[in-house]
Every structure is written in C-alpha cells, then in structure tokens.
C-alpha cells in the first residue's frame, strides 16, 4: 500500500473542475451547486485563475473543465481558455449554451477550446424548460450545438435524466446522433445540493430505471464507433457504491468561484471540514497536504466493513457526501453498499421519494 | 448514419483524429497520450508510431503501413495486421475517425 498520508504517496491529479462562477441564467431544479452560492463579488479575478491554471498544469493535471454556474457568464473566458491551452491543458467547456453564439464559439475555438458539453433537460422544449426554469432555452441549445460541430469542435450531449424524461432516453440518443455529437453522457441526477432538495420531485421508480437500462444497453452495439456513451447509473438502486471521483483526492479536484479547493463539488456539504483556498496556498500544496484532501484519501480512514473488504481499492468506500446525506455521518461506508449497516435507508427513500408524480419543484436561486 | 462505423479498417481508408482529440506528450508522467472529451488514452511506442504514421499527414492507411514497414525494416504483413487492429480499436473508442 502507498503511504497515503504523505506527499510522496500522492499521484498527480488528472483533471480540475474550474467553477468560474455560480451565476447562471438557468434555475435547474437538479443543480448540484451548493445551496449557498458564491455571489459575483466573491469570484476570483482573471490573474488569479491564470495562476491556478499554471499550477494545475505543473502539478500534472491533463484536462480542465470550465464549469459553473454558467462559465460563459465570465467575460474573460476566452483569456482563460487561451491561458489553459498555452499551459498545455486540454480544455473542456461545460455549459448550458444559452449565452453562446457562433462568434463567441469561434473565438473560444481559436483560443484553444477542444470540447463543448451542453446540458439538455429533455428532448421536448416545453418539458425541458419546466426543469430549467428558462423559457426559450431548448431551441437555443439546439442552435448552439449545431454551431459547435460546424466549427469543428467536439460536442457532448449531456442528458440529465430524472423521472420526467427517463422514458425518453432513446430520444436523447437520437438527438445526440442528429446533432453529430461524438459523445453522450446519460447522467442520472445525483442528489446533492439543489437536487437533494428536489429529490422527491425527481427520483424515478425502479421500473423506470430498469426500462432505461434495457433501452440504453440495447443500443450500445449500433453506437460503437459512432457515439461514445458514458452512462452514470443511479446508485440509489445499486448494491455496490461507485468509486466517487475515482476515489477521494486521487484524480480530481474542484476549484470554486471564490477559490476554495474541494475533493469533489459536493464536499462543502460535509460539516466540520475546512477547505483551503488558492488565494492562500498553491494548488500543489493543497492537493498534497491539505487536511480536507487527506481526510478520506486512500484506505487508512476506512471503517468496517470497508477496511477488510477486497473492493476497498475499487470503490474507495464510495461517496462521502452520500454517506453524510443518507446516514448523517460522512465517515460511514456509502450506504449504497449492501454490506453497510445503513443500506436499508435507501429502500425507505425509494419508497418515499421514488415515483412518477408531479411534485412541485424548488428552483435554484441565490436566496432560498 | 451508416452502419459501417464498426467495420474493420482497410488499407484504402484514410483516418484522422476525431474532433476534439489531440496528441500530447505528458511531461509529468513521461508518456504520450491521446486526449479527447473526458478521456485519456496512454500510447505505447507502437501505438504512437501508428497514430503518427496514419494521422500526421494526409495518407491512406496503405501508405502509412508502407512507411512503418520501411521505418522498422519489418515484414509488411506483420505490420499491416497490427496497424489495422490498432486503428479499428481507436475508431471504436472514438479517438479516430475515418
């Protein structure tokens, strides 16, 4: 085993999720941003982000994902893309697309942008706009998606799946093919942040998930070589947890608009954690030495039954934020695991929250 | 929409990096890699030579195989089957396109 608590045992990270801003014109009910959003006044300036990008590249980061909120709300996005590219990073843009047009996309491409991922709330405009709270958004997304591929950029259709659209998973795949996307991410909503608030209005039934799973798997053979399918299975219905973020502090880090560095984008939900900021320490120092990254890195922190489990370096104990949300303690094994003494709570949640009903939504906003 | 995407690459094909895919030397890890949306493919020396020969200039797969056979002074038949397998696999995984 590597010495997980020391600098020497830590592998370099693969990717940084750079949350440039929490501002967003959409109000998606499944948003995984924290309930307490950073206001514009707390956002880091261009120069600080450029330094963070340089530090990321030096640390061994390969890909940067400019995200948010809506990253195109930042007027300096072109500068940041260019800086990241010159630093040797592969640049992804994770966007709602509603603020983009061909001219800006062309400028971003010329600055070095490689890949644009556009989130789709549904395949039907009216239904999509109920989820996003943004009238007119869906046709705008379609227009921008066509410009993305026309400009020679890679396109991912991010299909955010919940009870109201899960039966149209085939339509999402057809949409990705029609838009000439190279990749589709079939992302079942993960219940953090605003999504957790709306879990009772979003979570599908087991029957819906089984139907979706059969539909996706039936199409995989014909899609090989045409469309890369990344498929995030909702783990509330699983018996083994996912290796959240590929393991805590193993592959990814997340920088918030104000500069806090998190092992995952939902880590701020865990009480008693202090997160260091790139305004005070370097990214490399935080990655290697900060208490937040060390807390659940590796296997030394693990409780029973993880500690003696042969899967401990496969799933790394699952998701800390999910353990917190469902058992009240982030130190517990992820209750998705059927070896967890808390596994039974999932059945209860599925019973109370899983469904098909039209429960009222709570829309994302800067003030609850 | 063709059903032919999955077919084996032939020597008459021309292949190129798929949109959003780039070849990069990772100086921290000291290896070459193909980067695409949300993914990384680490290339060994053989795969790197194949990618360079087939995508570095506008050639047919046949011409790329000829180049590699000359470069390595190896039987063309051996090189050809390796090259076709590598390229077919990379297309199936979305890193290359015809």
């Amino acid at each position: 085993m590597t010495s997980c608590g020391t600098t020497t045992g830590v592998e370099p990270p693969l990717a940084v999720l750079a949350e440039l801003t929490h501002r967003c014109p959409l109000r998606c009910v499944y948003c995984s941003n924290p309930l307490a959003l950073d206001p514009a006044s707390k956002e880091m300036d261009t120069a600080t982000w450029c330094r963070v990008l340089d530090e990321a590249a030096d640390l061994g980061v390969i890909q940067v994902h400019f995200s948010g909120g809506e990253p195109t709300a930042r007027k300096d996005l072109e500068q940041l893309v260019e800086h990241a590219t010159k630093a040797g990073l592969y640049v992804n843009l994770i966007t709602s697309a509603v603020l983009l047009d061909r001219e800006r996309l062309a400028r971003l491409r010329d600055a070095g942008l490689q890949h644009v991922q556009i989130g789709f709330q549904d395949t039907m405009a009216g239904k999509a706009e109920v989820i996003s709270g943004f009238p007119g958004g869906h046709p705008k997304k379609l227009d921008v998606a066509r410009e993305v591929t026309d400009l020679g950029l890679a396109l991912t259709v991010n299909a955010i799946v919940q009870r109201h659209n899960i039966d149209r998973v085939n339509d999402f795949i057809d949409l990705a093919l029609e838009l000439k996307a190279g990749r589709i991410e079939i992302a079942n909503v993960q219940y953090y942040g605003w999504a957790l608030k709306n879990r009772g209005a979003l979570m599908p039934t087991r029957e819906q998930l089984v139907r979706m799973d059969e539909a996706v798997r039936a199409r995989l053979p014909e899609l090989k070589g045409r469309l890369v399918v990344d498929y995030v299975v909702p783990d509330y219905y699983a018996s083994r947890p996912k290796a959240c973020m590929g393991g805590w502090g193993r592959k990814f880090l997340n920088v918030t608009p104000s500069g806090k560095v998190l092992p995952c984008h939902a880590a701020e939900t865990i009480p008693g954690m202090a997160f260091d900021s790139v305004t005070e320490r370097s990214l490399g120092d935080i990655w290697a030495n900060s208490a937040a990254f060390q807390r659940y890195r590796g296997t030394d922190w693990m409780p029973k039954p993880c500690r003696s489990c042969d899967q401990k370096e496969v799933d790394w104990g699952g998701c800390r934020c999910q353990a917190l949300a469902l058992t009240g303690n982030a130190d517990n094994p992820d209750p998705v695991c059927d070896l967890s003494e808390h596994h039974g709570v999932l059945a209860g949640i599925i019973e109370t929250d899983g469904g098909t009903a039209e429960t009222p939504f709570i829309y994302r906003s800067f003030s609850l | 929409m063709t059903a032919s995407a999955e077919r084996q690459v032939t020597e008459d094909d021309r292949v190129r990096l798929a949109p959003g895919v780039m070849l990069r030397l990772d100086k921290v890890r000291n290896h070459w890699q193909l980067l695409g949306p949300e993914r990384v493919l680490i290339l060994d020396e053989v795969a790197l030579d194949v990618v360079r020969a087939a995508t570095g200039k506008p050639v047919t797969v046949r011409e790329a195989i000829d180049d590699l056979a000359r470069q390595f002074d190896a039987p063309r038949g051996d090189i050809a089957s390796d090259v076709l397998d590598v390229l077919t696999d990379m297309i199936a995984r979305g890193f290359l396109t015809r």
Side-chain angles (χ1 to χ4, degrees):
Chain A
M1 203 191 98
T2 54
S3 52
C4 299
T6 64
T7 310
T8 49
V10 181
E11 296 279 313
L14 294 173
V16 167
L17 186 73
E19 293 179 336
L20 298 180
T21 176
H22 277 154
R23 288 173 286 143
C24 182
L26 273 59
R27 299 183 294 139
C28 298
V29 297
Y30 60 76
C31 184
S32 62
N33 280 163
L35 301 180
L37 297 163
D38 284 343
S41 59
K42 288 215 178 153
E43 289 176 15
M44 289 194 292
D45 63 13
T46 311
T48 308
W49 272 113
C50 287
R51 175 187 41 94
V52 171
L53 293 166
D54 288 336
E55 289 175 355
D58 289 345
L59 189 55
V61 167
I62 299 168
Q63 301 212 0
V64 59
H65 306 265
F66 286 123
S67 176
E70 175 47 54
T72 60
R74 292 272 304 214
K75 292 190 171 63
D76 58 357
L77 184 61
E78 285 86 337
Q79 269 174 277
L80 298 176
V81 168
E82 186 174 354
H83 195 90
T85 302
K86 285 186 175 155
L89 297 167
Y90 181 100
V91 181
N92 304 271
L93 179 64
I94 313 297
T95 180
S96 71
V98 301
L99 302 178
L100 279 167
D101 56 27
R102 186 180 176 89
E103 287 66 35
R104 187 147 197 228
L105 276 170
R107 287 202 302 275
L108 291 167
R109 179 197 61 182
D110 295 343
L113 179 65
Q114 296 278 349
H115 166 226
V116 180
Q117 172 169 310
I118 300 178
F120 284 90
Q121 286 75 31
D122 206 310
T123 56
M124 299 161 81
K127 290 177 182 292
E129 291 162 16
V130 168
I131 297 294
S132 70
F134 188 81
H138 188 74
K140 175 75 183 170
K141 287 166 182 280
L142 295 175
D143 289 346
V144 171
R146 292 189 179 98
E147 301 289 7
V148 167
T149 51
D150 193 54
L151 287 164
L153 291 159
L155 172 68
T156 289
V157 166
N158 184 21
I160 304 113
V161 173
Q162 33 74 25
R163 79 168 58 144
H164 302 285
N165 62 18
I166 192 168
D167 294 319
R168 282 185 289 284
V169 70
N170 263 314
D171 296 344
F172 272 119
I173 293 171
D174 291 337
L175 176 66
L177 291 170
E178 183 200 320
L179 293 172
K180 302 192 177 82
R183 178 171 171 272
I184 185 170
E185 193 169 304
I186 300 170
N188 282 268
V189 168
Q190 308 267 320
Y191 297 104
Y192 310 111
W194 295 87
L196 183 58
K197 270 218 157 327
N198 284 299
R199 190 174 61 195
L202 293 170
M203 209 164 108
T205 64
R206 186 183 296 273
E207 292 70 31
Q208 284 184 307
L209 281 164
V210 169
R211 278 203 301 277
M212 173 202 64
D213 194 55
E214 288 170 356
V216 172
R217 288 179 199 286
R219 294 204 63 180
L220 290 179
E222 58 143 325
L223 298 173
K224 204 173 170 191
R226 298 164 65 198
L227 184 65
V228 173
V229 180
D230 282 341
Y231 179 32
V232 183
V233 182
D235 64 359
Y236 271 41
Y237 293 89
S239 57
R240 285 288 178 273
K242 60 184 184 291
C244 193
M245 310 308 288
W248 183 276
R250 281 177 45 78
K251 297 187 172 171
F252 299 101
L253 43 81
N254 184 93
V255 183
T256 71
S258 60
K260 275 187 279 189
V261 186
L262 316 177
C264 85
H265 62 279
E268 284 183 284
T269 61
I270 300 174
M273 299 268 295
F275 298 101
D276 288 292
S277 171
V278 288
T279 58
E280 287 157 14
R281 295 174 72 174
S282 75
L283 201 64
D285 181 27
I286 294 172
W287 173 254
N289 302 315
S290 79
F293 278 83
Q294 301 222 31
R295 180 154 166 188
Y296 299 115
R297 181 178 268 150
T299 56
D300 288 351
W301 65 274
M302 285 182 176
K304 292 177 184 174
C306 302
R307 188 175 275 277
S308 57
C309 181
D310 64 4
Q311 298 295 296
K312 69 180 176 186
E313 294 191 356
V314 176
D315 59 42
W316 303 97
C319 174
R320 298 304 84 227
C321 307
Q322 186 148 279
L324 171 73
L326 302 184
T327 75
N329 185 350
D331 294 348
N332 280 330
D334 188 333
V336 162
C337 185
D338 64 10
L339 300 171
S340 157
E341 61 178 313
H342 297 285
H343 186 62
V345 302
L346 286 159
I349 289 163
I350 290 163
E351 185 68 27
T352 53
D353 284 4
T356 54
E358 300 278 345
T359 308
F361 293 127
I362 300 162
Y363 285 92
R364 177 196 199 271
S365 63
F366 273 85
S367 55
L368 261 178
Chain B
M1 294 186 195
T2 69
S4 64
E6 219 197 327
R7 72 176 162 79
Q8 178 83 13
V9 171
T10 70
E11 295 199 15
D12 292 324
D13 286 320
R14 289 170 188 273
V15 301
R16 57 191 161 83
L17 298 180
V21 173
M22 59 188 270
L23 179 64
R24 172 183 187 264
L25 173 63
D26 188 321
K27 291 175 192 158
V28 172
R29 296 169 185 82
N30 198 28
H31 60 223
W32 285 84
Q33 53 201 193
L34 280 180
L35 300 183
E38 308 265 347
R39 47 196 203 284
V40 181
L41 181 65
I42 297 167
L43 301 178
D44 60 19
E45 283 181 34
V46 173
L48 176 62
D49 287 334
V50 171
V51 168
R52 281 183 166 150
T55 69
K57 48 195 172 185
V59 295
T60 61
V61 172
R62 174 173 296 109
E63 290 163 325
I65 293 169
D66 291 341
D67 275 356
L68 289 166
R70 266 196 302 276
Q71 190 181 328
F72 293 102
D73 196 19
R76 192 182 185 286
D78 295 353
I79 298 263
S81 66
D82 283 353
V83 169
L84 296 175
D85 286 350
V86 168
L87 294 178
T88 300
D89 178 54
M90 287 183 180
I91 288 174
R93 294 158 78 174
F95 286 100
L96 302 181
T97 186
R98 267 179 257 260

